[in-house]
């Protein structure tokens, strides 16, 4: 068995979807399932949204439980642009595994995310000049790797795959093309903690599964008609797409301002909003819920509170409608939603595009499709 621990839900789903490319049996859960029979078992957490102390405790708990299962590899999935408590979590895992070093390859050249000369670039430009500089939780203000990681005198090294590696510490691997990821994979052994983004995970699977006969592909379940799209991202492309659909008369329902500014969500306005969404789903077989950026200006309500309110709405709609397909953008939003809806196990059935993964849930009547906010939706999914 291959095991993965991810610091957000969409990152976990992304790697679970990659497992489908190799015809692995895949299970994703919010807790370790010691009885799993999956070839690839992925643990999803919300560690990126938590204070560092809590994030470290979660990683320690899941690492201990996975080590007891003696997997062939534990891969630590990090954010590709190094948001979150990356160093603290890796150091905690190193102390449990007994390994002296970790190799972190977060670059993903296939998505335009490269590391060279100690700097991080997004499509050739320093990453701090991108929309990631406006991230509500981990705004990126520098493209220097050691500053992005908030390294403070710790043993952190930025290296090319061709260089001599130190015997201890955390090594950040530079990569400007996919072949660099493959080269890093060839240097990994069983005494190294392996971490990074989806490109490096793919390279590790190529190495581990080389020459093995793939299992028979399974049939992809047909997409069901009643769909609810949930947008929890701050990225402009998705917001602009929703505005266009709304302007064309599409079934879009923004969170009302009175709910955004209210302390409690169990108000008349909340119930009214849920009723509007249920009606849209019934009449159109699909609906979109989102938060208009204009409504959040000059308000003290935090991003976490808004995600909880959105999750509460979705849970209400699921109980009162025929929604069969949830399509969710944004890892923290997805986590809030599955937590309130008591969804705990997921079985990937289709990788619709890189990072866009459709999964059967532990509710047999519900599928969920998720993606990170900065990734692209596949053509046709948003046709209204």
């Amino acid at each position: 068995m291959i095991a993965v621990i991810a610091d957000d839900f969409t990152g976990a789903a992304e790697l679970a979807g990659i497992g489908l490319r190799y015809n692995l049996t895949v299970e994703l859960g919010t807790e370790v399932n010691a009885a799993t029979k999956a070839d690839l078992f992925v643990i999803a957490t919300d560690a990126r949204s938590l204070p560092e102390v809590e994030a470290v405790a979660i990683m320690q708990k899941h690492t201990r439980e996975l080590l007891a299962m003696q997997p062939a590899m534990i891969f630590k999935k990090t954010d590709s642009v190094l948001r979150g408590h990356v160093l603290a979590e890796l150091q905690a895992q190193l102390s449990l595994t007994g390994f002296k070093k970790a190799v972190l390859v977060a670059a993903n050249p296939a998505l335009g995310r490269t590391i060279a000369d100690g700097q991080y670039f997004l499509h050739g430009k320093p990453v701090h000049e991108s929309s990631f500089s406006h991230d509500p939780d981990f705004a990126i203000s520098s493209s220097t790797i050691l500053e992005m990681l908030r390294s403070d005198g710790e043993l952190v090294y930025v290296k090319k795959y061709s260089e001599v590696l130190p015997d201890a510490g955390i090594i950040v691997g530079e990569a400007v093309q996919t072949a660099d990821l493959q080269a890093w994979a060839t240097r990994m052994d069983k005494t190294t903690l392996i971490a990074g983004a989806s490109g490096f995970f793919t390279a590790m699977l190529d190495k581990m599964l080389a020459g093995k006969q793939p299992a028979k592909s399974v049939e992809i379940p047909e997409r069901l008609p009643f769909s609810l799209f949930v947008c929890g991202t701050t990225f402009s492309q998705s917001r602009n797409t929703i505005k266009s659909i709304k302007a064309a008369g599409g079934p879009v329902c923004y969170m009302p301002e009175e709910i955004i500014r209210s302390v409690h969500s169990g108000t008349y306005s909340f119930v009214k909003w849920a009723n509007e969404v249920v009606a849209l789903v019934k009449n159109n077989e699909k609906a979109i819920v989102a938060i208009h950026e204009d409504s959040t200006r000059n308000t003290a309500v935090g991003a976490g509170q808004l995600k909880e309110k959105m999750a509460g709405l979705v849970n209400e709609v699921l109980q009162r409608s025929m929604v069969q397909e949830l399509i969710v953008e944004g890892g923290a939003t997805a986590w809030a939603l599955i937590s309130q809806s008591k969804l705990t196990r997921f079985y990937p059935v289709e990788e619709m595009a890189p990072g866009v993964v459709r999964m059967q849930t532990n509710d047999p009547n519900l599928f969920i499709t998720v993606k990170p906010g900065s990734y692209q939706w596949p053509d046709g999914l948003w046709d209204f």
Side-chain angles (χ1 to χ4, degrees):
M1 182 194 75
I2 297 168
V4 171
I5 307 177
D7 67 353
D8 85 325
F9 187 76
T10 53
E14 180 181 13
L15 267 58
I18 290 171
L20 294 180
R21 298 180 201 170
Y22 295 82
N23 292 317
L24 301 176
T25 57
V26 186
E27 179 182 340
L28 186 155
T30 57
E31 295 288 342
V32 171
N33 175 15
T36 186
K37 302 299 183 184
D39 301 318
L40 172 61
F41 183 69
V42 183
I43 288 290
T45 75
D46 191 38
R48 196 184 303 170
S49 297
L50 297 175
E52 184 176 296
V53 172
E54 295 179 35
V56 167
I58 286 174
M59 289 300 163
Q60 289 174 322
K61 172 181 179 293
H62 291 320
T63 301
R64 287 192 189 96
E65 293 169 343
L66 287 176
L67 286 171
M69 297 170 67
Q70 299 183 321
M73 174 181 70
I74 296 179
F75 186 92
K76 172 66 171 69
K77 169 65 173 71
T78 69
D79 180 46
S80 61
V81 293
L82 301 173
R83 293 170 297 177
H85 312 291
V86 179
L87 288 188
E89 292 173 9
L90 287 176
Q91 288 164 340
Q93 289 182 290
L94 279 174
S95 67
L96 291 172
T97 61
F99 299 159
K100 292 183 178 180
K101 69 175 181 287
V103 170
L104 164 64
V105 186
N108 198 343
L111 297 176
R113 303 172 187 215
T114 58
I115 299 175
D117 300 323
Q119 303 291 311
Y120 200 113
F121 299 92
L122 181 61
H123 300 297
K125 295 183 178 181
V127 69
H128 74 277
E129 297 178 7
S130 72
S131 56
F132 285 110
S133 64
H134 306 299
D135 186 90
D137 298 312
F138 293 96
I140 296 177
S141 59
S142 171
S143 296
T144 301
I145 295 297
L146 296 183
E147 293 179 4
M148 292 174 69
L149 287 170
R150 303 183 302 282
S151 174
D152 185 17
E154 293 151 309
L155 296 178
V156 181
Y157 310 89
V158 183
K159 296 287 185 178
K160 295 177 175 61
Y161 69 84
S162 57
E163 292 183 294
V164 174
L165 304 183
D167 294 328
I170 295 173
I171 301 150
V172 181
E174 295 191 348
V176 297
Q177 56 187 352
T178 300
D180 296 342
L181 304 180
Q182 302 285 349
W184 274 111
T186 63
R187 299 201 64 179
M188 297 303 97
D189 57 36
K190 294 186 177 181
T191 64
T192 302
L193 177 62
I194 303 169
S198 59
F200 189 38
F201 180 68
T202 303
M204 289 301 303
L205 289 186
D206 284 340
K207 174 189 175 184
M208 296 179 69
L209 303 177
K212 292 189 177 181
Q213 184 69 28
K216 185 178 179 180
S217 298
V218 297
E219 185 176 347
I220 297 173
E222 182 180 358
R223 280 181 232 164
L224 303 173
F226 292 96
S227 304
L228 179 63
F229 292 69
V230 183
C231 181
T233 183
T234 59
F235 280 84
S236 59
Q237 184 172 358
S238 294
R239 286 180 163 180
N240 291 337
T241 298
I242 294 171
K243 287 178 184 177
S244 299
I245 295 171
K246 176 74 170 177
V252 176
C253 199
Y254 285 112
M255 183 183 290
E257 286 198 31
E258 58 266 31
I259 293 178
I260 290 174
R261 301 178 189 283
S262 67
V263 177
H264 303 290
S265 57
T267 61
Y268 169 76
S269 58
F270 187 89
V271 174
K272 181 182 177 183
W273 183 33
N275 286 336
E276 289 176 4
V277 177
V278 169
L280 284 176
V281 172
K282 181 178 180 181
N283 295 331
N284 300 276
E285 293 193 346
K286 57 183 67 177
I288 299 173
V289 291
I291 300 171
H292 200 289
E293 63 265 33
D294 292 344
S295 300
T296 59
R297 291 174 184 154
N298 301 318
T299 177
V301 177
Q305 292 173 288
L306 292 177
K307 289 177 175 64
E308 290 297 325
K309 290 179 180 181
M310 182 68 82
L313 165 83
V314 172
N315 189 40
E316 187 80 15
V317 172
L318 288 178
Q319 295 181 38
R320 299 165 58 190
S321 73
M322 299 173 64
V323 169
Q324 301 159 299
E325 300 272 358
L326 272 176
I327 297 95
V328 186
E329 181 165 18
T333 298
W335 184 266
L337 188 158
I338 67 169
S339 297
Q340 289 204 28
S341 303
K342 299 192 179 345
L343 301 173
T344 58
R345 290 194 187 175
F346 307 85
Y347 303 91
V349 297
E350 181 182 5
E351 186 188 32
M352 301 169 68
V356 184
V357 182
R358 180 172 177 245
M359 300 177 284
Q360 171 77 62
T361 72
N362 51 278
D363 178 345
N365 300 310
L366 183 66
F367 288 82
I368 184 170
T369 300
V370 297
K371 83 166 187 68
S374 59
Y375 282 37
Q376 300 294 318
W377 287 109
D379 293 338
L381 188 64
W382 283 74
D383 288 347
F384 279 77

